[in-house]
């Protein structure tokens, strides 16, 4: 028996809120990734990890906010919590692998392609693993072509986002990149939902419909709290917002040996109080032209 799917049980509310969650996670993750490229190597892993968790949490939150509006009219829906939380962990880990590749190799060439591909596959894997945690009296089927299109959207969106993290420095450019990333991630979600087919096992006597907000809301509290904390970090760190480089002492710059810095002390003549600087006596060759 074919089930009747309604992906917008609450109208435009769930798609709009889901899009904002994707933009928020993308914005925080991109700023953290940009910040990691402006600091010394000792702090870089921490910023990259924070960016990975922000993007992964934002994408996961977007997915399940959108799922609040998903309903099968003939049967109720339940969620398997272990699988649901596993999809969150998978998103953070795979996004993290892609971000660390770009963070250490740069947003160019093979590193960008590899990091974007892994990150995009992480987004798509999170979506379909999360759908595997949806239980009802039946099973899902998927259209292969539409699923492939959703994966391509995820990979392209992730690659563009990582490129923006490595290249874009201005605040307004980062906001624009986050809006585009949120649109792409939301588009990937609804493209994946368009590939969905529902087959019911017999007739269920229970009333169907969208899950109550109280079912998914407790699972969303943790990621939302994390996004809030990450947002506070961004707000109170103007260097993350503006994307300006951190001044690094000469002796800590790559390619400058410490011995070279130590062997070149300040050569400016010391000024004595009330006196002009004393010049060292130097031998100059006579510049008087010779008489021929």
């Amino acid at each position: 028996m074919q089930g009747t799917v309604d992906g917008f049980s609450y109208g435009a509310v769930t798609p709009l809120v889901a899009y904002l969650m994707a933009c928020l996670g993308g914005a925080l993750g991109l700023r953290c990734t940009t910040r990691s490229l402006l600091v010394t190597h000792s702090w870089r892993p921490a910023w990259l990890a924070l960016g990975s968790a922000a993007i992964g949490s934002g994408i996961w939150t977007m997915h399940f906010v959108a799922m609040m509006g998903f309903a099968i009219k003939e049967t109720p829906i339940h969620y398997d919590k272990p699988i649901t939380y596993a999809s969150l962990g998978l998103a953070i880990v795979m996004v993290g692998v892609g971000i660390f590749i770009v963070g250490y190799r740069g947003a160019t060439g093979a590193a960008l392609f590899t990091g974007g591909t892994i990150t995009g596959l992480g987004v798509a894997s999170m979506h379909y693993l999360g759908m595997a945690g949806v239980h009802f009296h039946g099973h899902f089927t998927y259209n292969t072509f539409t699923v492939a299109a959703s994966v391509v959207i995820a990979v392209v969106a992730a690659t563009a986002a990582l490129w923006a993290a490595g290249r874009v420095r201005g605040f307004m450019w980062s906001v624009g990149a986050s809006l585009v990333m949120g649109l792409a991630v939301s588009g990937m979600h609804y493209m994946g939902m368009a590939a969905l087919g529902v087959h019911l096992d017999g007739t269920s006597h229970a009333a169907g419909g969208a899950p109550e907000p109280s079912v998914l809301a407790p699972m969303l509290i943790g990621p939302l709290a994390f996004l809030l904390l990450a947002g506070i970090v961004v707000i109170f760190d103007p260097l993350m917002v503006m994307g300006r480089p951190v001044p690094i002492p000469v002796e800590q710059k790559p390619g400058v040996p410490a011995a070279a810095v130590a062997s070149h002390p300040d050569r400016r003549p010391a000024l004595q109080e009330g006196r002009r600087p004393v010049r060292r006596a130097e031998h100059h060759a006579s510049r008087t032209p010779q008489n021929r």
Side-chain angles (χ1 to χ4, degrees), residues 84-193:
T84 300
Y85 286 124
S87 66
L88 172 61
L90 179 65
I92 293 176
V93 170
M94 293 193 69
V95 169
V97 172
I99 285 180
F100 269 78
I101 291 174
V102 172
Y104 279 95
R105 296 294 183 180
T108 56
L112 180 61
F113 175 78
T114 304
T117 301
I118 294 175
T119 301
L121 292 177
V123 174
S125 300
M126 180 279 304
H127 172 85
Y128 291 107
L129 181 58
M131 294 303 298
V134 179
H135 291 175
F136 61 99
H137 296 289
H139 61 277
F140 291 133
T141 59
Y142 292 94
N143 180 278
T144 304
F145 177 79
T146 310
V147 169
S150 70
V151 174
V152 171
I153 292 175
V155 171
V156 172
T159 303
L162 292 179
W163 177 87
R167 296 290 183 177
V168 174
R169 290 293 182 266
F171 177 69
M172 295 307 299
W173 282 100
S174 296
V175 171
S178 303
L179 295 177
V180 173
M181 182 180 179
L183 182 63
V185 171
S186 299
M188 177 270 155
H189 171 84
Y190 286 104
M191 178 67 74
M193 297 305 291

Side-chain angles (χ1 to χ4, degrees), residues 197-237:
V198 175
H199 294 273
L200 301 178
D201 297 334
T203 303
S204 173
H205 298 287
E212 294 294 328
S214 58
V215 176
L216 289 174
M219 293 188 288
L220 295 174
I221 292 176
L224 285 174
F226 173 79
L227 291 175
L228 177 62
L229 293 176
I232 293 174
V233 172
V234 170
I235 291 173
F236 284 96
D237 188 347

Side-chain angles (χ1 to χ4, degrees), residues 278-291:
V278 180
R279 293 186 177 180
R280 295 180 180 178
E282 297 180 357
H283 296 285
H284 298 278
S286 176
R287 296 183 181 178
T288 304
Q290 298 179 358
N291 295 326

